[in-house]
Amino acid sequence: MLSCEKAHTFEGWFSKADDFDQQKADRLLDCPVCGSTEISKMLMAPSVATGRSKDSVHALAVDQAQKDALAKVREALTAIRANSEDVGARFPEEARKIHYGEADSRGIIGQASPGEVKSLLDEGIAIAPLPVLPEDVN
Ligand SMILES: [Zn+2]
């Protein structure tokens, strides 16, 4: 990428790095927009995370493709909920009972604190968080 003194940008057509200096010295390079021969090379900007403030939150700006994807996730979640017993706050207890064969094997959903989630995972009990979708949040 090249740029003139007025910051018009355009692609160079040279193939070797040192061609640039030679062409510039020979005034072979000019800006296709304003004709300036004051041309410099622009460094390709590496993609870096910029300007993320400490207060930033995870946000999702949805376009149509994401809406479609979300609809599929929502459908899957609805199916999971429909096929699971909502045990509410008894979730950690029920998950343990099922894991240790003290209760019928079935899908359950419910609430667990982060500490309880950690304990369950430490015990080797397969649990997963259910995602909260944008429209679920009020
Ligand atoms: Zn220009």
Side-chain angles (χ1 to χ4, degrees):
M1 187 78 89
L2 303 176
S3 172
C4 79
E5 61 188 319
K6 296 192 179 95
H8 301 128
T9 57
F10 52 99
E11 296 297 331
W13 44 267
F14 47 87
S15 58
K16 297 201 302 284
D18 60 0
D19 280 356
F20 172 80
D21 295 320
Q22 188 58 51
Q23 288 175 17
K24 191 182 174 193
D26 294 344
R27 302 266 163 177
L28 293 174
L29 281 174
D30 57 6
C31 172
V33 180
C34 66
S36 168
T37 53
E38 290 302 310
I39 307 298
S40 56
K41 272 191 276 201
M42 287 178 68
L43 295 175
M44 299 305 280
S47 51
V48 289
T50 54
R52 178 169 286 188
S53 88
K54 269 185 266 180
D55 322 320
S56 70
V57 294
H58 290 290
L60 179 63
V62 291
D63 65 11
Q64 193 54 51
Q66 287 165 325
K67 276 182 188 160
D68 292 348
L70 278 173
K72 288 201 182 81
V73 173
R74 185 167 289 113
E75 208 172 286
L77 283 176
T78 302
I80 288 169
R81 289 198 172 106
N83 292 300
S84 304
E85 183 186 338
D86 189 348
V87 296
R90 290 189 296 113
F91 180 84
E93 183 189 331
E94 286 300 316
R96 272 196 190 87
K97 280 187 189 167
I98 292 166
H99 181 73
Y100 294 112
E102 295 162 18
D104 290 341
S105 179
R106 65 202 195 280
I108 59 169
I109 58 174
Q111 291 90 49
S113 71
E116 287 165 336
V117 167
K118 189 179 181 309
S119 302
L120 291 167
L121 291 171
D122 285 348
E123 288 174 49
I125 300 173
I127 60 171
L130 282 181
V132 176
L133 301 179
E135 282 171 31
D136 294 342
V137 182
N138 290 313

